[in-house]
Structure formats: structure tokens, C-alpha cells
Amino acid sequence: MVAVKAETESMKKKELVHSPILTYFSVITLLSTCPPFVILLWYTMVHQDGSILNTFNYLKEHGIEGFVNIWPKPTAVAWKIIACYALFEAALQLWLPGKTVEGPVSPTGNKPVYKANGVLAYAVTLVTYISLWWFGIFNPTVVYDHLGEIYSALIFGSLIFCVFLYIKGHLAPSSTDSGSSGNIIFDFYWGMELYPRIGKNFDIKVFTNCRFGMMSWAVLAVTYCIKQYETNGKVADSMLVNTVLMLVYITKFFWWEAGYWNTMDIAHDRAGFYICWGCLVWVPSIYTSPGMYLVNHPVNLGTQLAISILIAGILCIYINYDCDRQRQEFRRTNGKSLVWGKAPGKIVASYTTTKGETKTSLLLTSGWWGLSRHFHYVPEIMAAFFWTVPSLFNNFLPYFYFVFLTILLFDRAKRDDNRCRSKYGKYWKTYCTKVPYRIIPWIY
Ligand code: NDP
């Protein structure tokens, strides 16, 4: 109970990285604007040729009523598709074999345990989906043709799911890593539990973030490709570059999924609207949007340009992977791994847990982590640019994800710096002196 109270205090501090007014304003704005934005983006991509101006003119002419008319009702087909997909992914998460791995020590001293079967679940999902199409059992174009209804169902279904998380956090938390900030809006938005589970083994955040959200990105990328093939009888090289790069990125994600369980999303951000609604709705709609645009815009890049973009994108994904790998190997080997062929630069940082125990942790100060404190965000943003640029520059909307990601990661770097400063104190200050740039070396 003491630990829960202390944790609650740390939550209150955590939410207020920005001023209280700005925090309230951004939380309320995001809660109210994200759902309609998902529908507007889909509508503009699929029905207005990707042109923001066309949608703007439509809304100017038809007003609120026009907007209500374009919002699709969640149909039975949409619910069926979502239910089959969610149950299939939940079953794979529970029953596919995998090594047991431990997550990092939580603020109250717990160590969550996971089953690492992400690569297998990813392979089974894609093979099953493509086989269903190949053998004529289920045509993925049905998903594309009901996309608006699916997003609409996801928006409402996920909101209800977040209410369930809020109630569960209050009535039946799965561990001591839970607590209320004392503010109903923050509790709903940021979440209450760090590691909510159903039973002992079904981890809700692994499901929402990885097996539903990230997996849906891959499934939809394939869907868009198949839709273009079924419509035009061929797939344009722009679509191929986009799909391959997204699939390489998602393959990397599942290859490294156990590493993801050590990152901010899982180890620091609680299960609420921000993370869970984001992964259940924002990932399948916004993250996949460059591919959604390309379905009806089959640009031909030519072999040379297509291959150049492909290579540049794969390089960025590799560097992003290598940054994460370098940090994790360094921590796993207790600072003994070689970094770029040399002994790593490091800071031994001590900190106090919410239970009052003193622990130590290592901060890497060389390799990618010596260039800037969040250098890994640079290749992440660049990769997004490379899988979007095949759509060329006729419309801005396909670049929305790229712009959104840039803002998200710049804000995240700030949040993470603040969190690490309050966790490590003078040790973080030393790191900032050694590595003065936050994201872009010599610039920011
Ligand atoms: P990180 O994996 O970078 O985790 C940050 C944590 O790492 C810090 O809180 C700190 O945790 C630890 N840390 C910080 N500096 C050091 C250091 N020098 N040496 C050792 N450990 C350090 O953060 P993210 O979760 O943001 O990113 C993970 C991956 O996910 C990245 O590849 C990123 O690009 C990607 N990502 C993608 C997003 C998308 O929407 N496409 C969104 C966010 C991330 P501790 O308390 O353990 O010390």
C-alpha cells in the first residue's frame, strides 16, 4: 500500500512534464479530436483523392451534418472482422510456444514475465492471411472496402475498452504497479496500471501494442497491396517499396519484441487511452496511411529510384535497430559488450526506487548513444519518410504520419529526459554534459 501511494505520487509528477494548463489542454484536445481525425483521414484518402482541400470544401459546404454523414456506422461485417482478428491474435499470444523472458524491474520492484513468441505469431498471421486470399477463402479487399466501418467500430470499441481498463485499475489491479493520480481525466488518459493482465498470463499491453496494433499494421500493408493488385491487375513499384519497407520495419519490431518490453511504452507508460487507444486505433489507421493513399495512386517510380528509396529505407531501419540493440546488449552484459569495436563509455548511475531501495543502472555514453541522447529517433523518422516518399508530392496527407511521428518523438525525447533526470539526478546531468545533444547531433 505504501508502495502504491509512493508510486501514485510519482505518477502525479510524471503527468505534469508540461505546465498543468498545457497538460489539461493537450489531454482534452487529444481525447476529443483523435477519433474524428481518424475518420477524416480515411475519408480524405479513400473518397477525396488524398486532397485536404477537397475535404475542406466538402465540410465548408455541408457543415457538421456533412461530417456526420461521412462517419460510417460500425457494421456487423466490421465487428466480425475485428472479432476474428482479435481472437486469432489473442489465441496466438496465449498458446504459441516461446521462451520465458523477464521485463525490467518496475518502480515498485516487480519483474514482469513474458512469453516471447512474437516472431512466430507474426509469421503465422501473415502466412494465414495470405493463404486465405491465395486459396480463395477470404479476400482482403473486403477489409479495404469496409475500412471506414472498421475504424468506426475500432474507435468506439477501444473507448469502451479504455473504460474497462480504468475500472479494472480501480477495482482489480493485477500488481502493485498501479494507482490513481486523483484526477479522473488523467487516470483515463494515462492509465492506472503499468502491467494489467487477464489471469496470470495474458498481458493486456502486449496484446494491444504488439499483437493487435503492430500486427494490424502488417496485415493492412498487405491488404493495400492486394487491393491494388485486384483493382489494376498489377502492383506499382511505389506500392511495392512502401509495403516492403513497412514489412521490414514490422519484422524488425517482432524480431526485437522482447526488447520493446524494456522501452517507455511498456515499462513506463500505463495502460490507458494514450497507449492502448493509440495502438488499437491510431496505429491501424494513421501508421498505415501512406499505403492507404497509394492504393488509388499507383505512382511508377522506375527501377533505379525505387531501389534507391528501398536501400535508403532499409539502412535507416537497420540503424534504428542497431541503436536499440547496442543499448540492450550493453545493459544485458552489464557494460561488457563491445560498442563499435571498443570498450563502451559508461556512467554507473544509482537511483532510489519508490520502495526506498538504492539500485544501480548503467548509462551508455558511446556508440550511437554518444552521438545524442535519443539518436535512434533520427533513423526512425527517416525510415517513415522513405516509405512515404514513393507517393511523391502531389498531396500532403500521406506525409501526415511522418510529421506526426517527428512531433511525437521530439516530445517523447523531452518526456524521457525529464523522467531520467528525476530518476538519476546528478548522473543524468553528467550524461548530458558528456552527450549534450538531445536528438540531432550538433543541432538539437
Ligand atoms: P528507449 O528504448 O530509448 O528507452 C528510453 C529508456 O532507455 C530511458 O527511459 C532509460 O530507461 C534508458 N536509457 C536512456 N538513455 C540511456 C543510455 N544512454 N544508456 C542506457 N539506457 C538508457 O525509448 P523508446 O521507447 O522511445 O524507443 C524504443 C524504440 O521504439 C526506438 O527504436 C524508437 O524509435 C521506437 N519508437 C517508435 C515509435 C513509433 O510510433 N513509431 C514511438 C516510440 C518509439 P531506464 O529507466 O531503464 O534507465
Side-chain angles (χ1 to χ4, degrees):
M1 197 60 203
V2 174
V4 174
K5 272 194 186 144
E7 176 58 356
T8 303
E9 284 309 308
S10 85
M11 259 185 93
K12 283 182 186 166
K13 282 186 208 142
K14 165 188 166 303
E15 316 320 352
L16 301 179
V17 166
H18 306 291
S19 72
I21 289 286
L22 186 63
T23 308
Y24 265 114
F25 178 75
S26 48
V27 164
I28 302 281
T29 307
L30 288 172
L31 280 169
S32 53
T33 55
C34 286
F37 184 82
V38 166
I39 297 299
L40 280 176
L41 181 122
W42 159 80
Y43 172 75
T44 309
M45 289 295 194
V46 174
H47 295 291
Q48 293 290 5
D49 215 19
S51 161
I52 297 174
L53 192 65
N54 285 358
T55 298
F56 178 77
N57 287 336
Y58 168 83
L59 290 176
K60 209 166 92 182
E61 199 178 321
H62 296 92
I64 291 280
E65 208 188 318
F67 175 61
V68 172
N69 287 341
I70 61 174
W71 192 310
K73 308 280 165 293
T75 53
V77 177
W79 286 119
K80 253 191 241 166
I81 290 173
I82 295 169
C84 289
Y85 169 69
L87 287 174
F88 185 67
E89 291 306 327
L92 296 185
Q93 181 178 334
L94 265 178
W95 293 318
L96 282 180
K99 251 185 18 196
T100 301
V101 297
E102 284 185 339
V105 183
S106 75
T108 62
N110 298 320
K111 248 192 184 187
V113 174
Y114 302 98
K115 185 154 70 165
N117 56 11
V119 174
L120 202 54
Y122 178 62
V124 170
T125 301
L126 286 190
V127 169
T128 307
Y129 194 56
I130 293 170
S131 303
L132 289 176
W133 171 59
W134 193 255
F135 294 110
I137 301 166
F138 176 79
N139 196 330
T141 56
V142 174
V143 174
Y144 180 85
D145 296 339
H146 291 81
L147 209 50
E149 297 146 46
I150 292 174
Y151 290 148
S152 182
L154 278 178
I155 286 170
F156 294 117
S158 306
L159 271 176
I160 293 167
F161 185 71
C162 292
V163 173
F164 157 77
L165 289 175
Y166 173 81
I167 295 170
K168 179 178 174 324
H170 268 293
L171 299 183
S174 301
S175 77
T176 47
D177 288 295
S178 173
S180 166
S181 65
N183 181 311
I184 184 171
I185 296 173
F186 285 163
D187 284 352
F188 179 78
Y189 183 82
W190 287 115
M192 297 186 59
E193 290 192 75
L194 194 53
Y195 296 113
R197 292 201 165 188
I198 295 175
K200 193 166 166 269
N201 294 323
F202 191 76
D203 189 282
I204 292 182
K205 269 163 71 185
V206 169
F207 177 73
T208 55
N209 298 23
C210 308
R211 307 310 173 78
F212 194 101
M214 290 303 287
M215 199 74 82
S216 71
W217 188 352
V219 168
L220 285 171
V222 171
T223 302
Y224 299 148
C225 220
I226 291 175
K227 175 69 188 177
Q228 195 183 70
Y229 177 77
E230 296 253 333
T231 309
N232 302 341
K234 61 180 181 175
V235 180
D237 53 10
S238 50
M239 180 60 112
L240 275 180
V241 172
N242 170 271
T243 312
V244 170
L245 282 180
M246 283 184 171
L247 289 182
V248 170
Y249 179 85
I250 302 157
T251 308
K252 176 221 76 161
F253 175 85
F254 281 106
W255 179 257
W256 163 85
E257 191 190 39
Y260 173 70
W261 297 333
N262 290 280
T263 67
M264 281 176 75
D265 282 5
I266 298 290
H268 307 305
D269 288 335
R270 285 147 189 274
F273 179 91
Y274 174 74
I275 272 290
C276 294
W277 193 91
C279 290
L280 294 171
V281 186
W282 201 250
V283 172
S285 55
I286 308 300
Y287 284 43
T288 68
S289 59
M292 199 194 301
Y293 175 81
L294 282 167
V295 170
N296 297 324
H297 300 86
V299 180
N300 271 319
L301 300 169
T303 313
Q304 211 177 349
L305 185 57
I307 290 178
S308 309
I309 297 173
L310 196 63
I311 291 172
I314 290 175
L315 192 67
C316 288
I317 296 169
Y318 173 75
I319 294 174
N320 172 258
Y321 163 78
D322 200 48
C323 296
D324 291 330
R325 186 202 58 78
Q326 209 170 61
R327 178 174 76 84
Q328 266 151 25
E329 271 306 286
F330 166 77
R331 283 253 172 109
R332 194 184 61 79
T333 59
N334 208 12
K336 294 194 176 68
S337 60
L338 289 184
V339 170
W340 291 353
K342 286 192 215 147
K346 64 182 168 207
I347 294 170
V348 182
S350 65
Y351 64 96
T352 312
T353 67
T354 53
K355 276 184 178 166
E357 293 166 340
T358 303
K359 300 216 173 216
T360 54
S361 192
L362 293 179
L363 296 173
L364 176 59
T365 62
S366 61
W368 301 114
W369 297 81
L371 294 181
S372 69
R373 299 192 298 278
H374 303 275
F375 180 77
H376 54 332
Y377 293 158
V378 176
E380 172 91 34
I381 292 168
M382 293 299 295
F385 175 78
F386 285 119
W387 67 60
T388 307
V389 80
S391 59
L392 300 181
F393 300 102
N394 289 338
N395 280 303
F396 163 75
L397 206 53
Y399 292 86
F400 176 79
Y401 170 66
F402 164 70
V403 173
F404 156 79
L405 185 71
T406 307
I407 296 169
L408 175 89
L409 293 183
F410 273 67
D411 178 66
R412 193 177 174 95
K414 193 168 177 233
R415 280 205 302 134
D416 193 47
D417 266 8
N418 286 346
R419 199 191 67 78
C420 290
R421 189 174 307 115
S422 67
K423 179 175 176 182
Y424 295 119
K426 63 180 181 189
Y427 301 102
W428 190 256
K429 246 183 167 176
T430 311
Y431 180 37
C432 292
T433 313
K434 276 195 171 178
V435 183
Y437 298 101
R438 190 177 270 162
I439 299 180
I440 308 171
W442 302 287
I443 296 177
Y444 174 75

